[in-house]
Amino acid sequence: MESAVLPQKSQPTRMRAETRRNQIVAVAAELFASRGFSGTTTKEIAEGAGVSEAIIFRHFASKDKLYAAILDYKVKQGSERMKAQLEEAASRKDDRAFFGSLAFEMLEFHSKDRTFMRLLLFSALEGHELSDIFFDSTARDMKNHIRKYIKQRTSDGAFRSIDPAVAARAFVGMVLHQVQARTIFKDDDVKLSNRQIADRFVEIFLNGVRDSEVG
Amino acid sequence: MESAVLPQKSQPTRMRAETRRNQIVAVAAELFASRGFSGTTTKEIAEGAGVSEAIIFRHFASKDKLYAAILDYKVKQGSERMKAQLEEAASRKDDRAFFGSLAFEMLEFHSKDRTFMRLLLFSALEGHELSDIFFDSTARDMKNHIRKYIKQRTSDGAFRSIDPAVAARAFVGMVLHQVQARTIFKDDDVKLSNRQIADRFVEIFLNGVRDSEVG
DNA sequence: GGTAAGTATGTTAGTGCTTACTAACTTTAA
DNA sequence: TTAAAGTTAGTAAGCACTAACATACTTACC
C-alpha cells in the first residue's frame, strides 16, 4: 500500500556505453561553452547527464580528456562544414556569389550552434593544447582559400593590387565580429537577416577591393 | 656568526595601503587576463604580489570584489582612451584621416595592452555582471560615433546609401579581428606595421562605402 | 524456454588536495 | 605608544577522482 503512494523514484535510464558517452559529451560541451573549462565541475556535468560522477570517469580518464574529446569533435564538425562551404563557394561563378555564400554560411553556422564560437574562444584564452588545432581547422583553410581567390582575381585585373592576407582578414573580420557581437556580447542591434547582412558585407568588401579609380 | 652566513631573507617590503592596493590590482589583472576569473587563485595573486593571502582580503572583501575593481579600472582606462581617440579622429578633415586614425589608435592600444582584449573576452564569456559595462564603454560610443559620421557622409552624397550600423560593424570588425588574431590566436602572419594595416583597411572600407558605380 | 553465469552499467561513500576566506598574533613606522 | 601593515595557521566547503558494491541486461546451456 505504502509504496503505491510514495513518489515513484524514476529509475536511472540505463544506456549503452556509446550512447551514454555521446550524451555526456553533449552535456559537457554545453557547460564548457557557457562556463569554460575551469568554471565547469564534473559534478555539474554528472547532474546534467543524470548520472553519478563516477560514470563520467568510467568513460573519460580525466576531466581534461573529456574536454579534449569535445574539442576534437568540434574540430571535425567545424572542418567538415568549412570544407563544404569552400566547395560550395568555389562552385559559384562570380565574386558576389563566392563571398556571399561564404559570409552567409558562416553566419548561419554560428546562428545554429552558439557553442562553437564560445568553445573556440574559451579554449584559446585558457590556453588548451588543442586550441591551436581548433583555430586552424576553422580559420586556416578558409584564409588560404580566400587569399588564393583574391590573388587570382588580382592577376585577372579584377581586383586592385592589394595584400591578399590583409584583404582576407578584413573580410573574415567583418563576418566574425558580427558573429561575436551576437554570440558573446548580446549586441543584437543589427536587425537584418543573415542573408541581408552577408550581402551588405560583400558589397562593401567587393567595392573596396575592386579595381576602380576612386578619389 | 651563523646569521651572517645564512641567506638573507629579504624583508617583505612594507607598502602604504593605497600603493599595495594598486600593486595587487596590477598583478591580479595580469593573472585574470591570462587564466580568467575561475582559473586564477587568490594564492597565485598573493605570490605574485609577494605577500600573504590574508593581505589580499584586507584590501578586497572577496575575490569577486577584486575582479570588479579591475574591470572598473579597465572600463575607465578604456573609455578615456576611446574618448581621446574619437576627438582626435573627429578633428581630422577627411575620411581617410578619420578612419585611419581610429583604426591605427585601436591597433596601437591593443598592441601596448594585450590584457585588455583578454579581460574583455573572459568577462563576457564568464558572464560577469560588469562585462556589459565593459563592452559598452569600449564599443558603444565608438559605434555610435562612427554611425553618425557615416550618416553625415551619406547625406553629403559622399557615401553610398548604406545601413550605418552594418558599415560601422564592418569597419570595427576588420580592426578587432586583426587585434584578436594577434592577441588571442597568436596568428601573426600579417607582418605589416599597425600604420600600414590601418591604411589598407581604410582603403578597402572607403572604396567599399563610397559612392561610385561599380559593376 | 527457463535459468544461471558473466558482463555491462549503475550507485554510494568516500579519498586527499585545493579553494576562498578568517582569527589571532607580530612587526614596523609615525 | 599606537595604528597600520604584515604573518601564521588555520577553517569549512568544494574539487577531481576512486574503490567497493549493487543492479540490470546478455548469453550459454539444458
Side-chain angles (χ1 to χ4, degrees), chain A residues 118 125 143 169 187, chain B residues 118 125 143 169 178 187:
Chain A
R118 294 184 64 94
L125 286 167
K143 215 166 51 183
R169 178 145 296 167
D187 180 345
Chain B
R118 294 183 64 94
L125 287 168
K143 217 166 49 183
R169 179 144 295 167
Q178 168 65 19
D187 179 346

Side-chain angles (χ1 to χ4, degrees), chain A residues 5-212:
Chain A
V5 183
L6 285 172
Q8 201 80 352
K9 187 192 170 185
S10 64
Q11 327 200 59
T13 44
R14 195 184 158 94
M15 293 182 182
R16 289 206 182 151
E18 203 195 326
T19 315
R20 180 65 80 191
R21 207 186 131 98
N22 292 338
Q23 186 224 8
I24 291 170
V25 164
V27 166
E30 280 288 330
L31 285 167
F32 283 135
S34 79
R35 309 200 223 286
F37 179 78
S38 58
T40 304
T41 68
T42 52
K43 193 184 171 193
E44 287 172 326
I45 296 169
E47 277 167 8
V51 292
S52 62
E53 253 185 291
I55 288 296
I56 308 287
F57 292 98
R58 177 162 298 161
H59 292 282
F60 302 92
S62 65
K63 186 188 171 189
D64 206 79
K65 288 273 164 61
L66 167 55
Y67 192 62
I70 290 168
L71 292 195
D72 199 62
Y73 174 72
K74 288 283 173 182
V75 162
K76 275 171 193 145
Q77 187 187 326
S79 54
E80 258 176 43
R81 180 90 195 193
M82 181 71 35
K83 213 179 147 194
Q85 282 174 26
L86 290 177
E87 275 168 16
E88 155 105 23
S91 76
R92 304 311 187 95
K93 300 229 166 69
D94 55 307
D95 298 339
R96 195 173 294 269
F98 177 83
F99 287 103
S101 131
L102 275 186
F104 176 71
E105 292 295 333
M106 283 172 74
L107 291 171
E108 282 288 300
F109 176 68
H110 289 287
S111 292
K112 280 172 197 153
D113 184 1
R114 323 275 280 201
T115 71
F116 197 93
M117 181 56 76
R118 294 184 64 94
L119 280 170
L120 180 63
L121 284 172
F122 257 130
S123 72
L125 286 167
E126 291 182 316
H128 195 275
E129 51 179 341
L130 284 186
S131 121
D132 286 351
I133 301 171
F134 198 174
F135 177 69
D136 276 10
S137 75
T138 325
R140 194 170 304 282
D141 278 359
M142 159 151 301
K143 215 166 51 183
N144 289 335
H145 208 257
I146 296 180
R147 283 188 201 177
K148 220 154 101 185
Y149 189 93
I150 293 174
K151 258 186 198 158
Q152 180 57 49
R153 297 295 286 153
T154 304
S155 75
D156 286 353
F159 289 178
R160 288 186 291 112
S161 118
I162 194 163
D163 185 336
V166 175
R169 178 145 296 167
F171 179 70
V172 173
M174 294 180 195
V175 180
L176 287 189
H177 186 244
Q178 167 66 19
V179 168
Q180 285 187 15
R182 276 190 176 160
T183 313
I184 315 288
F185 298 109
K186 282 143 198 163
D187 180 345
D188 216 354
D189 56 352
V190 172
K191 302 286 185 193
L192 307 173
S193 72
N194 285 340
R195 181 69 72 188
Q196 290 172 311
I197 294 172
D199 285 350
R200 278 155 180 74
F201 282 163
V202 168
E203 214 172 324
I204 293 174
F205 179 73
L206 284 183
N207 277 311
V209 133
R210 274 182 179 153
D211 197 4
S212 69

Side-chain angles (χ1 to χ4, degrees), chain B residues 55-90:
Chain B
I55 287 296
I56 308 286
F57 292 97
R58 177 162 297 162
H59 291 283
F60 302 93
S62 65
K63 185 188 172 189
D64 206 80
K65 288 275 165 59
L66 168 56
Y67 192 61
I70 289 167
L71 292 195
D72 198 62
Y73 173 74
K74 287 282 174 185
V75 162
K76 276 171 193 145
Q77 187 187 325
S79 54
E80 258 176 44
R81 180 90 196 192
M82 183 69 36
K83 213 180 146 192
Q85 282 174 27
L86 289 178
E87 275 167 16
E88 155 104 22

